[in-house]
Amino acid sequence: RFNHSGKWYDFIDLIVQPAPLQQPHPPIWIGATTPAGALRAGRLGAHLYAGATDAETFAAYREGLEQTGHDPESRRVAMSLSITVTNRDPDMEWQRIRDQAAYRWDFYRVIREEMGDPMLRVESGCKTSSEDRYRENELIGTADQVIETIAEFKEKLGLTDLVYFGAHAGTD
């Protein structure tokens, strides 16, 4: 049982049931899309689910952990990647999935704009105004290329977990 009084909600004698199986509680994950959000997640000692791929966001998270005495090695760090494994030419594969990718990424673009967050860019430099502007957010390649890229992200960003952003609807 607990009480909470905040800016938007007040709860009095709230009961949360069933009690968590994990003790003292399930792991707390906080999503962050900017360095400021990641710093806050770190200060709170939560695990990080990043909606970003820039090194600054991950460095801010580690800084937040260290500021509050949390061991970065004791925390998990995750991000999502949209992955298509293929033996075909990646540009040809992109042509096959680009409409679905544009639909998906445009959905997230609107949400991020409403939150005041920048659009996710897996790589930098794409300046086109068509559906191709989302190409850089799609990891498309052979199994070896995908594994190599994931390993680079793991090393560069300190990832412990990867959430697979699966195949696009309507594709085989």
Side-chain angles (χ1 to χ4, degrees), residues 79 81 83 85 139 143-156 159 162 164:
M79 67 178 239
L81 280 177
I83 301 169
V85 177
L139 176 52
D144 288 341
Q145 291 168 330
V146 167
I147 290 168
E148 181 180 328
T149 301
I150 292 170
E152 289 170 6
F153 276 123
K154 182 178 187 289
E155 178 67 27
K156 173 182 159 189
L159 296 179
L162 177 68
Y164 168 62

Side-chain angles (χ1 to χ4, degrees), residues 1-142:
R1 294 176 184 261
F2 69 94
N3 298 327
H4 168 80
S5 182
K7 185 174 181 178
W8 289 287
Y9 300 100
D10 293 316
F11 302 110
I12 298 171
D13 201 28
L14 186 67
I15 300 171
V16 178
Q17 291 183 325
L21 179 63
Q22 293 173 276
Q23 295 299 322
H25 53 74
I28 305 297
W29 287 81
I30 294 180
T33 58
T34 63
L39 179 68
R40 184 171 37 257
R43 286 181 180 155
L44 294 171
H47 302 289
L48 177 66
Y49 186 175
T53 60
D54 59 285
E56 294 80 13
T57 296
F58 293 85
Y61 173 66
R62 287 187 294 280
E63 178 184 334
L65 289 171
E66 291 167 3
Q67 286 177 359
T68 52
H70 297 285
D71 177 11
E73 295 299 314
S74 70
R75 298 300 187 268
R76 292 168 55 192
V77 178
M79 67 178 239
S80 297
L81 280 177
S82 182
I83 301 169
T84 302
V85 177
T86 182
N87 288 324
R88 294 173 34 161
D89 174 66
D91 291 330
M92 287 180 60
E93 193 65 22
W94 167 247
Q95 293 305 313
R96 188 177 74 84
I97 67 170
R98 69 182 243 175
D99 290 340
Q100 293 93 343
Y103 180 84
R104 177 194 311 187
W105 287 111
D106 209 48
F107 172 81
Y108 288 110
R109 179 193 56 78
V110 169
I111 292 171
R112 291 177 82 112
E113 283 178 0
E114 289 173 357
M115 293 187 315
D117 285 350
M119 183 56 195
L120 173 65
R121 292 287 180 215
V122 174
E123 298 176 32
S124 61
C126 190
K127 304 275 191 242
T128 61
S129 59
S130 69
E131 287 82 5
D132 289 329
R133 70 182 175 269
Y134 298 119
R135 170 61 182 95
E136 65 190 18
N137 294 358
E138 298 289 320
L139 176 52
I140 303 171
T142 65

